[in-house]
């Protein structure tokens, strides 16, 4: 259990570093109900118009997928950060299959024109 102590300490410190800035403003915040302007609708200085649940063009979703693809690629590439003689052939080929699937996804987006500017 002592070999996991640095990881546990790191998790506790990271939780504190992330949660303290989130909770720090609450004791200093004022009651927003005293300011009716704060509770009014605001959209770029205009009263809101139209429906917020309108349909989006498919290009927005393709661009979002375009930015999501590198995230799991980087995350799942971390196990390759070991010496090459420590990776067995199964691990190597499974990583190649994963990168192949991500390449197919990138080629699909490229074919659909997700990165085209219009």
């Amino acid at each position: 259990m002592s070999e996991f102590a640095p990881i546990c300490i790191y998790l506790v410190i990271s939780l504190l570093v992330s949660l303290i800035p989130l909770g720090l403003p609450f004791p200093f915040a004022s009651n927003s109900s005293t300011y009716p302007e704060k509770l009014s609708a605001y959209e770029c200085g205009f009263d809101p118009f139209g429906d917020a649940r309108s349909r989006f063009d498919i290009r927005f979703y393709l661009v979002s997928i375009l930015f999501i693809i590198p995230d799991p690629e980087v995350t799942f590439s971390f196990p390759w950060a070991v010496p090459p003689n420590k990776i067995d052939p199964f691990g190597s080929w499974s990583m190649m299959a994963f990168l192949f699937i991500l390449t197919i996804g990138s080629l699909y987006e490229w074919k659909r024109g997700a990165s085209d500017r219009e």
Side-chain angles (χ1 to χ4, degrees):
M1 190 64 175
S2 64
E3 62 265 5
F4 293 114
I7 296 173
C8 293
I9 292 171
Y10 178 76
L11 287 174
V12 168
I13 290 173
S14 64
L15 281 173
L16 288 176
V17 166
S18 62
L19 292 178
I20 286 175
L22 287 174
L24 193 61
F26 286 106
F28 304 107
S30 64
N31 187 1
S32 63
S33 65
T34 59
Y35 303 107
E37 293 87 15
K38 294 272 188 183
L39 298 176
S40 65
Y42 179 76
E43 184 177 318
C44 301
F46 299 104
D47 287 331
F49 57 91
D51 187 17
R53 289 175 176 78
S54 61
R55 299 194 89 182
F56 286 100
D57 191 12
I58 188 68
R59 286 176 290 171
F60 290 109
Y61 299 109
L62 291 175
V63 170
S64 68
I65 292 172
L66 181 71
F67 286 107
I68 289 174
I69 282 182
D71 295 336
E73 182 178 355
V74 169
T75 303
F76 290 125
S77 296
F78 278 126
W80 267 15
V82 296
N85 60 353
K86 300 285 185 186
I87 300 175
D88 62 343
F90 176 75
S92 183
W93 283 109
S94 63
M95 190 62 175
M96 289 296 175
F98 175 72
L99 292 176
F100 178 71
I101 292 169
L102 287 177
T103 303
I104 289 174
S106 297
L107 290 175
Y108 172 74
E109 288 182 349
W110 186 20
K111 179 183 161 196
R112 296 284 295 186
S115 60
D116 293 343
R117 306 279 184 214
E118 291 181 10

